[in-house]
Amino acid sequence: MNATAAIATARAAVEAARASPQSRKKAMLAALLIDAAVDALFEMCGESDVLAFRADVCARAPQLRPVLDLAAIDGTSLVLEPVEVDIRDYPALGVEDFMVSLYNGRTVPRVLIATPDARRIDVHEALSAALAALEAEVR
Amino acid sequence: MPKLTLTSADGFKFNAYRADPEGKPRGGVVVIHEVWGINKWVRSVVDRFARHGYLAFAPNLLDRVSFGFESEDYAAGSAYATMADKMRAFDFKKALMDVEATVKAASEGGKVGITGYCFGGATTWRAAHAGLGLSAASGYYGGGIPNYVDLEPQVPLEMHYGDADSGIPLEQVEALKARHPNVGVYVYHAGHGFCNSDRPDKFNEDACKKASARTLEFFHKHLG
């Protein structure tokens, strides 16, 4: 698959994951497809060392790092955790989140990237940022 | 009068809505609302159960945090923050006391079942766990599954969820089903709130018809 097609496939997966915001499986699939698109970009560029190429891409576009770490399936993982909603953020909350949060201690479930150093990153924001960075690389 | 006041075991008086069937009731049904109180749609659900022959009630379980609260405004906005702030004081244990008082009132009609939607769905599971004199329970898209998955139902129970519910992860529904093989867990191709016919953006008639038919069949089997 060429890089353009690979990125289009990854974009569709990122959109599908957003449409099912609580699905770890769809988020992981999107991460894997972004990872595959980086490899397709390597093929397109005609470089000789794929690991060096991936390191260079991540250096230029650090937004890719958490997603590629997730795709490596080695220490970084996806978790579904309740996240407390600040009262000031309520007006912007989606109706489903609003309804469910009211009787669950003002928390909503969120799919998060859990890093080995115990940080948490919203997976959908990470996927969108990584995809945008990848598209910029192609341009 | 369809609107009335019931009294909980601790003396708290709360609003409720009642609908009577024609003739002798085949049983009683308690309907627990979403997070908008006993509004027009909830009252229509109570009326529907009465048309099916049940003495039906809906208690306002939000009265303890905001007495008399009910809303037809489903739009997102700043009112969310007000309600979220009030719900800091919400206590499921006290809410179940109000459910118990409502079950007692509905038992005038015979064996009593409980159903509920969203907030009411989670409350349905908790009520099934508590027993409360119920004979059956059928809940809809109760969010916060991790908060009730370990509560063992004491009465026959079934639950209905949407596979596109952005508030309830499907993997949690799957875990619930695995944890409770004796509970009927049904999944429909629908989103959250798929039975609320007052919300065209959420209502899924096909899913709701199937789920409602299951609830009715379940209550016929366990209540009469």
Side-chain angles (χ1 to χ4, degrees), chain A residues 22 24 96 99 103-104 106, chain B residues 88 143 147 166 171 202:
Chain A
Q22 312 286 351
R24 283 187 298 173
E96 289 84 0
M99 295 173 81
Y103 53 98
N104 286 289
R106 285 181 23 195
Chain B
R88 282 175 199 263
N147 296 329
S166 61
E171 64 196 66
K202 304 293 175 192

Side-chain angles (χ1 to χ4, degrees), chain B residues 61-175:
Chain B
L61 299 188
L62 302 181
D63 270 359
R64 287 184 186 258
V65 295
S66 183
F67 192 82
F69 174 81
E70 69 176 55
S71 176
E72 305 295 341
D73 183 9
Y74 293 109
S78 58
Y80 280 16
T82 306
M83 201 55 200
D85 199 34
K86 286 179 186 290
M87 286 297 278
R88 282 175 199 263
F90 181 76
D91 181 344
F92 260 118
K93 284 182 185 168
K94 287 183 177 172
L96 289 180
M97 292 171 72
D98 301 343
V99 172
E100 189 169 27
T102 313
V103 171
K104 194 175 174 185
S107 68
E108 183 189 320
K111 289 183 181 175
V112 180
I114 188 169
T115 187
Y117 304 82
C118 182
F119 164 80
T123 305
T124 294
W125 188 293
R126 289 170 188 275
H129 166 67
L132 307 181
L134 290 161
S135 296
S138 177
Y140 289 68
Y141 34 83
I145 288 174
N147 296 329
Y148 62 76
V149 66
D150 290 328
L151 302 178
E152 290 294 337
Q154 304 302 311
V155 300
L157 170 65
E158 64 174 24
M159 294 293 286
H160 309 270
Y161 297 95
D163 65 0
D165 190 325
S166 61
I168 303 174
L170 196 56
E171 64 196 66
Q172 289 183 358
V173 178
E174 203 167 18

